[in-house]
Amino acid sequence: MKSKVEQTIKEAGAFIRAEAGKVSVQQIEHKSLNNLVSYVDKTAEEMLVKGLSEALPDSVFLTEEATVEQGEGEWRWIIDPLDGTTNFLHGIPLFSVSVALEHQGEIVMGWVYDIMHDGLYFAEKGKGAFRNGKPISVSAQDNIEYALSVTGFPYGKPEVVEAYMNILLYLTHETRGVRRLGSAAIDLAYVAEGKFEAFYEYKLNAWDVAAGSLIVQEAGGIITDFSGGDNYLFGRQIIATNGKITKDLMEVIKTHFLDKIL
Ligand code: IPD
Ligand code: CA
Ligand code: CA
């Protein structure tokens, strides 16, 4: 099953890579002002659905582009066929395929394919995390002052977005800094690999974080929602850290963001 899944993900990734630079302005649809999609996302999703259905017959799907019936079932694939669509459409070489496998409501396997770096991140519950077959682990840094974080910006109510930016201000002044890469799945994979100490984001969907979260956990990190709970998959709030700065980052998010929007 695993090798069929990985072959499918790499084929979808190869398709996306081959289409880079070819999408015309007319082929870009706006789901909303900042939420873009093209035939590339949809075709990649169809390729994934076909291959993954063959790998695990009777499985059901939760997918961003809803090219297949969305279902509930014992085995469910949670898929973002192209995470980082804006980067992809602007020729910025950082976008990924994110595939998670859920069994009876629990994520048991996850893959994030960093397409342009040919980096396939994988984790299986209880069995560790890997990049192209080699074990990976989170950073050992335990001082938030020396932490490099990564985030993404939410869209929506201006006052909420403005408050969210307070976190960025604090981390910029008081820590090593913050990056915004444009693919949440890659952000998580890079936390798992120790490149970043932390990732936090507001208003993501399950398909953005399902695979990457398991990879972080299996690499030794910790995932929570903004209040330290475990509602990060569907709760639209996520903090992922190396496990050593969760408390400090939660405090920053509470003081500079949550307390301001309540
Ligand atoms: C987006 C990326 C981005 C995050 C956005 C997501 P998409 O996914 O993960 O990093 O900040 O909010 O929607 O739309 O490129 O699949
Ligand atoms: Ca996404
Ligand atoms: Ca997407």
Side-chain angles (χ1 to χ4, degrees):
M1 191 270 276
K2 183 169 170 249
S3 63
K4 170 72 182 166
V5 173
E6 297 192 346
Q7 182 198 336
T8 301
I9 291 172
K10 288 209 166 181
E11 281 170 9
F15 165 72
I16 294 169
R17 195 185 300 126
E19 295 306 303
K22 291 190 190 161
V23 185
S24 69
V25 169
Q26 291 73 22
Q27 287 170 314
I28 301 174
E29 292 167 48
H30 288 78
K31 292 199 247 183
S32 61
L33 177 63
N34 301 303
N35 194 358
L36 313 176
V37 68
S38 78
Y39 70 90
V40 178
D41 308 59
K42 292 178 189 169
T43 307
E45 184 172 297
E46 285 162 358
M47 292 172 75
L48 290 163
V49 166
K50 182 171 180 295
L52 300 175
S53 301
E54 286 166 13
L56 193 60
D58 298 327
S59 50
V60 297
F61 290 89
L62 171 64
T63 67
E64 178 169 18
E65 308 309 339
T67 61
V68 64
E69 192 188 331
Q70 308 287 289
E72 304 268 339
E74 187 182 1
W75 292 95
R76 178 166 74 163
W77 299 100
I78 302 181
I79 300 176
D80 189 340
L82 174 47
D83 185 54
T85 294
T86 303
N87 281 350
F88 172 77
L89 292 171
H90 283 258
I92 298 162
L94 211 59
F95 39 83
S96 60
V97 177
S98 176
V99 172
L101 179 60
E102 185 191 64
H103 182 233
Q104 294 178 339
E106 183 188 30
I107 306 297
V108 292
M109 286 190 189
W111 291 262
V112 172
Y113 185 39
D114 179 353
I115 298 171
M116 299 308 273
H117 299 101
D118 195 26
L120 183 60
Y121 296 82
F122 166 72
E124 181 172 355
K125 183 105 195 151
K127 298 202 173 156
F130 304 85
R131 181 185 189 276
N132 292 342
K134 294 204 185 91
I136 53 172
S137 60
V138 293
S139 140
Q141 181 56 254
D142 61 3
N143 186 340
I144 195 168
E145 278 181 43
Y146 305 127
L148 185 64
S149 299
V150 62
T151 188
F153 306 138
Y155 308 106
K157 285 190 191 158
E159 62 275 20
V160 173
V161 176
E162 207 166 294
Y164 187 80
M165 295 305 172
N166 289 330
I167 308 170
L168 198 62
L169 272 181
Y170 178 88
L171 294 176
T172 301
H173 291 311
E174 305 293 338
T175 74
R176 196 165 280 174
V178 185
R179 299 288 181 268
R180 196 282 197 251
L181 301 185
S183 164
I186 290 182
D187 297 339
L188 285 161
Y190 285 5
V191 171
E193 209 179 4
K195 288 182 160 77
F196 294 115
E197 275 70 35
F199 165 67
Y200 65 94
E201 194 161 339
Y202 188 56
K203 295 287 176 206
L204 287 174
N205 289 295
W207 48 74
D208 299 309
V209 299
S213 299
L214 180 65
I215 296 171
V216 170
Q217 288 166 330
E218 288 297 323
I222 288 184
I223 312 277
T224 66
D225 56 34
F226 282 3
S227 311
D230 60 6
N231 191 21
Y232 55 83
L233 204 52
F234 294 96
R236 312 201 77 191
Q237 309 179 343
I238 184 166
I239 298 177
T241 77
N242 61 355
K244 299 189 159 41
I245 59 163
T246 297
K247 252 183 91 197
D248 291 341
L249 184 55
M250 245 172 63
E251 187 56 36
V252 172
I253 291 175
K254 182 181 178 322
T255 315
H256 296 272
F257 176 60
L258 290 180
D259 289 353
K260 303 266 194 281
I261 58 168
L262 292 176

